[in-house]
Amino acid sequence: MFKNTKAFSGFSVNDIEEAKRFYGKTLGLEVSESHGLLTLHIAGGTDILIYPKPNHTPATFTILNFPADNVEDAVEELTSRGVRFEIYNEDELKTDEKGIFRGEGPKIAWFKDPAGNILSVLEEK
């Protein structure tokens, strides 16, 4: 039934204008707005819908992952733009002082959008 349908993902925020500034200006993504909804236009032709939800509850899992050639450089650049990275100190999940996880798997660092949704930047190698 959906074999030839281009599916897309979406998530909620509590403030569309704040989300538009964050995703468009801070992260530098192409963002369009229509009928009170935002669309993130991601490289490769993928679109992601952002919709307002008055009783929004932030996702407790990573909703978007941004691949980077070098996580350290990406963290430094995003930090200079005001992004604050999460610091984890749990048994299975420990990040360094910059918020970078260097355990098994790719180097990865998590941060939140203004609505509290979890995003990441991870090293592709």
Side-chain angles (χ1 to χ4, degrees), residues 10-82:
F11 59 89
S12 70
V13 296
N14 55 349
D15 186 327
I16 284 289
E17 286 305 312
E18 193 173 30
K20 185 177 181 181
R21 280 190 299 278
F22 179 77
Y23 286 97
K25 301 287 187 207
T26 304
L27 299 186
L29 299 172
E30 182 183 342
V31 179
S32 62
E33 186 173 6
S34 179
H35 305 289
L37 306 172
L38 298 180
T39 301
L40 301 180
H41 304 281
I42 307 297
T46 302
D47 289 340
I48 299 168
L49 180 69
I50 301 177
Y51 56 93
K53 186 175 179 194
N55 61 346
H56 165 76
T57 300
T60 58
F61 52 88
T62 307
I63 62 166
L64 283 175
N65 297 285
F66 295 100
D69 291 332
N70 184 297
V71 165
E72 284 90 354
D73 291 346
V75 167
E76 185 176 317
E77 173 67 24
L78 289 169
T79 299
S80 75
R81 294 175 180 214

